[in-house]
Tab-separated table of all heavy atoms in Angstrom:
chain	number	residue	atom	x	y	z
A	9	PRO	N	2.059	9.943	-9.502
A	9	PRO	CA	2.742	10.954	-10.322
A	9	PRO	C	2.872	12.296	-9.614
A	9	PRO	O	3.782	13.058	-9.870
A	9	PRO	CB	1.966	11.004	-11.629
A	9	PRO	CG	0.652	10.454	-11.303
A	9	PRO	CD	0.838	9.457	-10.182
A	10	ASP	N	1.892	12.649	-8.766
A	10	ASP	CA	1.907	13.942	-8.081
A	10	ASP	C	2.312	13.841	-6.641
A	10	ASP	O	1.956	14.670	-5.792
A	10	ASP	CB	0.508	14.575	-8.238
A	10	ASP	CG	-0.526	13.692	-7.564
A	10	ASP	OD1	-0.234	12.518	-7.278
A	10	ASP	OD2	-1.647	14.183	-7.335
A	11	ILE	N	3.207	12.847	-6.314
A	11	ILE	CA	3.569	12.634	-4.886
A	11	ILE	C	4.339	13.806	-4.336
A	11	ILE	O	4.187	14.123	-3.140
A	11	ILE	CB	4.383	11.316	-4.776
A	11	ILE	CG1	4.575	10.962	-3.276
A	11	ILE	CG2	5.710	11.429	-5.496
A	11	ILE	CD1	3.290	10.626	-2.574
A	12	ALA	N	5.123	14.527	-5.152
A	12	ALA	CA	5.870	15.664	-4.616
A	12	ALA	C	4.895	16.760	-4.122
A	12	ALA	O	5.111	17.349	-3.035
A	12	ALA	CB	6.813	16.201	-5.646
A	13	ARG	N	3.859	17.036	-4.858
A	13	ARG	CA	2.849	18.038	-4.447
A	13	ARG	C	2.100	17.579	-3.228
A	13	ARG	O	1.853	18.347	-2.322
A	13	ARG	CB	1.904	18.322	-5.561
A	13	ARG	CG	2.526	19.154	-6.612
A	13	ARG	CD	1.513	19.702	-7.605
A	13	ARG	NE	0.800	18.554	-8.254
A	13	ARG	CZ	-0.280	18.603	-8.948
A	13	ARG	NH1	-0.794	19.749	-9.162
A	13	ARG	NH2	-0.801	17.541	-9.498
A	14	VAL	N	1.778	16.331	-3.132
A	14	VAL	CA	1.055	15.761	-1.962
A	14	VAL	C	1.933	15.902	-0.694
A	14	VAL	O	1.466	16.354	0.314
A	14	VAL	CB	0.624	14.305	-2.214
A	14	VAL	CG1	0.093	13.713	-0.973
A	14	VAL	CG2	-0.359	14.211	-3.340
A	15	LEU	N	3.177	15.490	-0.800
A	15	LEU	CA	4.072	15.542	0.375
A	15	LEU	C	4.315	16.990	0.746
A	15	LEU	O	4.442	17.326	1.917
A	15	LEU	CB	5.398	14.821	0.075
A	15	LEU	CG	5.283	13.309	-0.051
A	15	LEU	CD1	6.589	12.716	-0.410
A	15	LEU	CD2	4.739	12.684	1.222
A	16	ALA	N	4.486	17.877	-0.219
A	16	ALA	CA	4.753	19.278	0.081
A	16	ALA	C	3.503	19.886	0.825
A	16	ALA	O	3.652	20.611	1.827
A	16	ALA	CB	4.990	20.142	-1.204
A	17	PHE	N	2.337	19.533	0.400
A	17	PHE	CA	1.123	19.991	1.100
A	17	PHE	C	1.091	19.470	2.514
A	17	PHE	O	0.774	20.221	3.454
A	17	PHE	CB	-0.126	19.547	0.344
A	17	PHE	CG	-1.414	19.937	1.016
A	17	PHE	CD1	-1.851	21.232	0.927
A	17	PHE	CD2	-2.139	19.020	1.740
A	17	PHE	CE1	-3.021	21.584	1.599
A	17	PHE	CE2	-3.297	19.327	2.381
A	17	PHE	CZ	-3.761	20.667	2.317
A	18	LEU	N	1.303	18.181	2.682
A	18	LEU	CA	1.298	17.605	4.048
A	18	LEU	C	2.276	18.222	4.975
A	18	LEU	O	2.058	18.429	6.149
A	18	LEU	CB	1.541	16.074	3.931
A	18	LEU	CG	0.408	15.281	3.275
A	18	LEU	CD1	0.789	13.870	3.106
A	18	LEU	CD2	-0.871	15.371	4.073
A	19	LEU	N	3.496	18.541	4.463
A	19	LEU	CA	4.548	19.103	5.308
A	19	LEU	C	4.361	20.589	5.574
A	19	LEU	O	4.667	21.102	6.662
A	19	LEU	CB	5.888	18.860	4.682
A	19	LEU	CG	6.360	17.376	4.651
A	19	LEU	CD1	7.628	17.266	3.800
A	19	LEU	CD2	6.507	16.853	6.003
A	20	LEU	N	3.847	21.299	4.625
A	20	LEU	CA	3.742	22.785	4.770
A	20	LEU	C	2.403	23.337	5.133
A	20	LEU	O	2.278	24.548	5.280
A	20	LEU	CB	4.199	23.420	3.402
A	20	LEU	CG	5.642	23.087	2.949
A	20	LEU	CD1	5.896	23.669	1.576
A	20	LEU	CD2	6.648	23.622	4.002
A	21	TYR	N	1.404	22.454	5.311
A	21	TYR	CA	0.050	22.956	5.537
A	21	TYR	C	-0.028	23.843	6.805
A	21	TYR	O	-0.617	24.872	6.804
A	21	TYR	CB	-0.877	21.734	5.641
A	21	TYR	CG	-2.310	22.117	5.950
A	21	TYR	CD1	-3.078	22.747	4.995
A	21	TYR	CD2	-2.889	21.810	7.228
A	21	TYR	CE1	-4.384	23.109	5.275
A	21	TYR	CE2	-4.192	22.184	7.438
A	21	TYR	CZ	-4.919	22.859	6.476
A	21	TYR	OH	-6.227	23.155	6.764
A	22	ARG	N	0.603	23.387	7.880
A	22	ARG	CA	0.523	24.169	9.108
A	22	ARG	C	1.839	24.823	9.449
A	22	ARG	O	2.097	25.200	10.561
A	22	ARG	CB	0.013	23.319	10.229
A	22	ARG	CG	-1.344	22.796	9.988
A	22	ARG	CD	-1.914	21.995	11.100
A	22	ARG	NE	-2.108	22.930	12.248
A	22	ARG	CZ	-2.633	22.568	13.396
A	22	ARG	NH1	-2.988	21.336	13.546
A	22	ARG	NH2	-2.777	23.381	14.343
A	23	PHE	N	2.736	24.955	8.468
A	23	PHE	CA	4.078	25.521	8.651
A	23	PHE	C	3.992	26.999	9.182
A	23	PHE	O	4.778	27.407	10.020
A	23	PHE	CB	4.890	25.426	7.358
A	23	PHE	CG	6.242	25.914	7.473
A	23	PHE	CD1	7.149	25.156	8.216
A	23	PHE	CD2	6.661	27.102	6.921
A	23	PHE	CE1	8.486	25.568	8.313
A	23	PHE	CE2	7.994	27.507	6.970
A	23	PHE	CZ	8.883	26.768	7.669
A	24	ALA	N	3.052	27.752	8.648
A	24	ALA	CA	3.011	29.208	9.041
A	24	ALA	C	2.431	29.383	10.446
A	24	ALA	O	2.657	30.394	11.070
A	24	ALA	CB	2.149	29.916	8.052
A	25	GLU	N	1.749	28.368	10.977
A	25	GLU	CA	1.168	28.539	12.296
A	25	GLU	C	2.177	28.364	13.420
A	25	GLU	O	2.037	28.970	14.503
A	25	GLU	CB	0.080	27.433	12.478
A	25	GLU	CG	-0.640	27.559	13.789
A	25	GLU	CD	-1.735	26.494	13.848
A	25	GLU	OE1	-2.210	25.944	12.832
A	25	GLU	OE2	-2.052	26.168	15.021
A	26	ALA	N	3.267	27.678	13.180
A	26	ALA	CA	4.307	27.492	14.200
A	26	ALA	C	4.942	28.844	14.662
A	26	ALA	O	5.004	29.062	15.903
A	26	ALA	CB	5.365	26.515	13.727
A	27	PRO	N	5.426	29.712	13.792
A	27	PRO	CA	5.947	30.950	14.313
A	27	PRO	C	4.867	31.900	14.926
A	27	PRO	O	5.142	32.617	15.820
A	27	PRO	CB	6.508	31.615	13.110
A	27	PRO	CG	6.518	30.673	11.985
A	27	PRO	CD	5.654	29.537	12.399
A	28	LEU	N	3.666	31.778	14.379
A	28	LEU	CA	2.587	32.631	14.937
A	28	LEU	C	2.300	32.297	16.423
A	28	LEU	O	2.087	33.202	17.198
A	28	LEU	CB	1.328	32.373	14.119
A	28	LEU	CG	0.076	33.204	14.569
A	28	LEU	CD1	0.366	34.647	14.353
A	28	LEU	CD2	-1.121	32.792	13.812
A	29	ARG	N	2.316	31.007	16.836
A	29	ARG	CA	2.101	30.656	18.197
A	29	ARG	C	3.154	31.287	19.098
A	29	ARG	O	2.865	31.680	20.257
A	29	ARG	CB	2.129	29.181	18.310
A	29	ARG	CG	1.712	28.709	19.703
A	29	ARG	CD	1.531	27.262	19.708
A	29	ARG	NE	1.119	26.877	21.095
A	29	ARG	CZ	0.926	25.658	21.535
A	29	ARG	NH1	1.080	24.720	20.689
A	29	ARG	NH2	0.549	25.450	22.749
A	30	GLU	N	4.380	31.394	18.660
A	30	GLU	CA	5.442	32.016	19.462
A	30	GLU	C	5.252	33.504	19.578
A	30	GLU	O	5.640	34.105	20.603
A	30	GLU	CB	6.796	31.709	18.847
A	30	GLU	CG	7.169	30.199	18.829
A	30	GLU	CD	7.268	29.650	20.224
A	30	GLU	OE1	7.725	30.276	21.125
A	30	GLU	OE2	6.829	28.485	20.367
A	31	LEU	N	4.599	34.165	18.641
A	31	LEU	CA	4.404	35.567	18.662
A	31	LEU	C	3.160	35.930	19.479
A	31	LEU	O	3.029	37.024	19.979
A	31	LEU	CB	4.261	36.136	17.250
A	31	LEU	CG	5.521	36.060	16.392
A	31	LEU	CD1	5.219	36.484	14.957
A	31	LEU	CD2	6.616	36.924	16.945
A	32	VAL	N	2.191	35.043	19.568
A	32	VAL	CA	0.934	35.317	20.235
A	32	VAL	C	1.130	35.312	21.756
A	32	VAL	O	0.537	36.153	22.518
A	32	VAL	CB	-0.139	34.328	19.822
A	32	VAL	CG1	-1.377	34.424	20.710
A	32	VAL	CG2	-0.525	34.602	18.392
A	33	THR	N	1.968	34.446	22.271
A	33	THR	CA	2.086	34.274	23.749
A	33	THR	C	2.566	35.573	24.456
A	33	THR	O	1.934	35.921	25.388
A	33	THR	CB	3.053	33.129	24.031
A	33	THR	OG1	2.615	31.963	23.381
A	33	THR	CG2	3.180	32.882	25.502
A	34	PRO	N	3.517	36.332	23.935
A	34	PRO	CA	3.870	37.575	24.626
A	34	PRO	C	2.698	38.592	24.605
A	34	PRO	O	2.545	39.348	25.617
A	34	PRO	CB	5.059	38.108	23.824
A	34	PRO	CG	5.622	36.970	23.181
A	34	PRO	CD	4.475	36.024	22.903
A	35	VAL	N	1.879	38.584	23.589
A	35	VAL	CA	0.725	39.530	23.552
A	35	VAL	C	-0.276	39.153	24.575
A	35	VAL	O	-0.876	40.056	25.237
A	35	VAL	CB	0.127	39.519	22.176
A	35	VAL	CG1	-1.168	40.301	22.125
A	35	VAL	CG2	1.086	39.975	21.117
A	36	LEU	N	-0.468	37.893	24.827
A	36	LEU	CA	-1.403	37.438	25.838
A	36	LEU	C	-0.904	37.786	27.259
A	36	LEU	O	-1.697	38.077	28.135
A	36	LEU	CB	-1.606	35.947	25.728
A	36	LEU	CG	-2.323	35.434	24.459
A	36	LEU	CD1	-2.369	33.977	24.436
A	36	LEU	CD2	-3.652	36.049	24.261
A	37	LEU	N	0.368	37.778	27.478
A	37	LEU	CA	0.966	38.009	28.739
A	37	LEU	C	1.314	39.399	29.131
A	37	LEU	O	1.376	39.799	30.295
A	37	LEU	CB	2.265	37.092	28.992
A	37	LEU	CG	1.983	35.610	28.922
A	37	LEU	CD1	3.298	34.841	28.929
A	37	LEU	CD2	1.082	35.143	30.015
A	38	ASP	N	1.583	40.243	28.065
A	38	ASP	CA	2.006	41.634	28.320
A	38	ASP	C	0.868	42.429	29.015
A	38	ASP	O	-0.314	42.165	28.788
A	38	ASP	CB	2.300	42.340	26.990
A	38	ASP	CG	3.699	42.031	26.498
A	38	ASP	OD1	4.471	41.402	27.270
A	38	ASP	OD2	3.989	42.330	25.312
A	39	PRO	N	1.229	43.488	29.825
A	39	PRO	CA	0.189	44.249	30.469
A	39	PRO	C	-0.586	45.052	29.455
A	39	PRO	O	-0.170	45.306	28.362
A	39	PRO	CB	1.006	45.204	31.327
A	39	PRO	CG	2.443	44.859	31.246
A	39	PRO	CD	2.601	43.808	30.215
A	40	ALA	N	-1.809	45.436	29.898
A	40	ALA	CA	-2.721	46.149	29.003
A	40	ALA	C	-2.150	47.519	28.600
A	40	ALA	O	-2.468	48.073	27.524
A	40	ALA	CB	-4.082	46.263	29.617
A	41	ALA	N	-1.319	48.097	29.458
A	41	ALA	CA	-0.727	49.439	29.207
A	41	ALA	C	0.139	49.448	27.949
A	41	ALA	O	0.313	50.481	27.336
A	41	ALA	CB	0.038	49.905	30.407
A	42	VAL	N	0.752	48.273	27.585
A	42	VAL	CA	1.579	48.219	26.397
A	42	VAL	C	0.924	47.461	25.259
A	42	VAL	O	1.598	47.141	24.324
A	42	VAL	CB	2.981	47.573	26.802
A	42	VAL	CG1	3.707	48.420	27.749
A	42	VAL	CG2	2.802	46.217	27.231
A	43	GLY	N	-0.373	47.235	25.378
A	43	GLY	CA	-1.078	46.648	24.254
A	43	GLY	C	-1.355	45.147	24.371
A	43	GLY	O	-1.892	44.500	23.462
A	44	GLY	N	-1.022	44.538	25.498
A	44	GLY	CA	-1.245	43.136	25.685
A	44	GLY	C	-2.628	42.841	26.308
A	44	GLY	O	-3.412	43.808	26.611
A	45	LEU	N	-2.851	41.629	26.609
A	45	LEU	CA	-4.139	41.248	27.222
A	45	LEU	C	-4.071	41.022	28.718
A	45	LEU	O	-5.031	40.841	29.368
A	45	LEU	CB	-4.716	39.977	26.587
A	45	LEU	CG	-5.150	40.156	25.127
A	45	LEU	CD1	-5.596	38.840	24.584
A	45	LEU	CD2	-6.223	41.207	24.998
A	46	ALA	N	-2.825	41.048	29.283
A	46	ALA	CA	-2.544	40.964	30.722
A	46	ALA	C	-3.133	39.662	31.322
A	46	ALA	O	-3.685	39.695	32.395
A	46	ALA	CB	-3.062	42.194	31.484
A	47	LEU	N	-3.113	38.558	30.585
A	47	LEU	CA	-3.547	37.319	31.180
A	47	LEU	C	-2.502	36.670	32.012
A	47	LEU	O	-1.309	36.878	31.774
A	47	LEU	CB	-3.918	36.312	30.031
A	47	LEU	CG	-5.090	36.720	29.112
A	47	LEU	CD1	-5.197	35.664	28.028
A	47	LEU	CD2	-6.342	36.801	29.890
A	48	LYS	N	-2.905	35.901	32.993
A	48	LYS	CA	-1.938	35.198	33.798
A	48	LYS	C	-1.494	33.930	33.067
A	48	LYS	O	-2.165	33.435	32.151
A	48	LYS	CB	-2.621	34.782	35.167
A	48	LYS	CG	-2.992	35.922	35.973
A	48	LYS	CD	-3.544	35.398	37.324
A	48	LYS	CE	-3.949	36.581	38.221
A	48	LYS	NZ	-4.498	36.134	39.506
A	49	THR	N	-0.325	33.474	33.381
A	49	THR	CA	0.261	32.316	32.711
A	49	THR	C	-0.723	31.106	32.861
A	49	THR	O	-0.832	30.304	31.928
A	49	THR	CB	1.639	31.989	33.352
A	49	THR	OG1	2.450	33.144	33.255
A	49	THR	CG2	2.313	30.831	32.574
A	50	GLN	N	-1.346	31.008	34.003
A	50	GLN	CA	-2.300	29.902	34.234
A	50	GLN	C	-3.349	29.937	33.171
A	50	GLN	O	-3.757	28.892	32.659
A	50	GLN	CB	-2.832	30.002	35.618
A	50	GLN	CG	-3.976	28.966	35.957
A	50	GLN	CD	-4.574	29.256	37.292
A	50	GLN	OE1	-4.187	30.193	37.974
A	50	GLN	NE2	-5.497	28.441	37.684
A	51	TYR	N	-3.979	31.076	32.862
A	51	TYR	CA	-5.043	31.175	31.947
A	51	TYR	C	-4.572	30.887	30.487
A	51	TYR	O	-5.341	30.293	29.749
A	51	TYR	CB	-5.721	32.521	32.006
A	51	TYR	CG	-6.311	32.812	33.369
A	51	TYR	CD1	-6.176	34.073	33.994
A	51	TYR	CD2	-7.061	31.846	34.044
A	51	TYR	CE1	-6.768	34.334	35.181
A	51	TYR	CE2	-7.634	32.091	35.268
A	51	TYR	CZ	-7.449	33.320	35.867
A	51	TYR	OH	-8.022	33.593	37.100
A	52	VAL	N	-3.376	31.282	30.162
A	52	VAL	CA	-2.833	31.067	28.837
A	52	VAL	C	-2.603	29.536	28.711
A	52	VAL	O	-2.955	28.921	27.679
A	52	VAL	CB	-1.530	31.786	28.621
A	52	VAL	CG1	-0.881	31.338	27.358
A	52	VAL	CG2	-1.724	33.265	28.669
A	53	GLY	N	-2.145	28.856	29.791
A	53	GLY	CA	-2.020	27.396	29.699
A	53	GLY	C	-3.301	26.668	29.582
A	53	GLY	O	-3.419	25.706	28.862
A	54	ILE	N	-4.358	27.180	30.244
A	54	ILE	CA	-5.655	26.562	30.158
A	54	ILE	C	-6.183	26.742	28.728
A	54	ILE	O	-6.746	25.782	28.107
A	54	ILE	CB	-6.659	27.184	31.172
A	54	ILE	CG1	-6.255	26.777	32.600
A	54	ILE	CG2	-8.104	26.782	30.836
A	54	ILE	CD1	-7.064	27.448	33.661
A	55	ALA	N	-6.040	27.923	28.107
A	55	ALA	CA	-6.468	28.190	26.779
A	55	ALA	C	-5.793	27.264	25.811
A	55	ALA	O	-6.391	26.704	24.905
A	55	ALA	CB	-6.245	29.626	26.416
A	56	TYR	N	-4.459	27.096	25.895
A	56	TYR	CA	-3.722	26.248	25.041
A	56	TYR	C	-4.020	24.792	25.297
A	56	TYR	O	-4.080	23.954	24.299
A	56	TYR	CB	-2.188	26.447	25.117
A	56	TYR	CG	-1.683	27.642	24.375
A	56	TYR	CD1	-0.798	28.536	24.900
A	56	TYR	CD2	-2.085	27.824	23.009
A	56	TYR	CE1	-0.297	29.616	24.227
A	56	TYR	CE2	-1.612	28.965	22.314
A	56	TYR	CZ	-0.678	29.769	22.857
A	56	TYR	OH	-0.254	30.892	22.157
Side-chain angles (χ1 to χ4, degrees):
D10 59 347
I11 190 66
R13 286 190 300 168
V14 171
L15 291 177
F17 177 78
L18 291 173
L19 293 173
L20 300 175
Y21 179 69
R22 296 187 68 178
F23 184 70
E25 186 179 334
L28 181 65
R29 186 171 182 184
E30 297 298 321
L31 296 172
V32 168
T33 304
V35 173
L36 296 175
L37 297 174
D38 280 349
V42 295
L45 294 177
L47 294 176
K48 294 181 179 181
T49 306
Q50 175 184 0
Y51 298 137
V52 174
I54 289 171
Y56 278 135

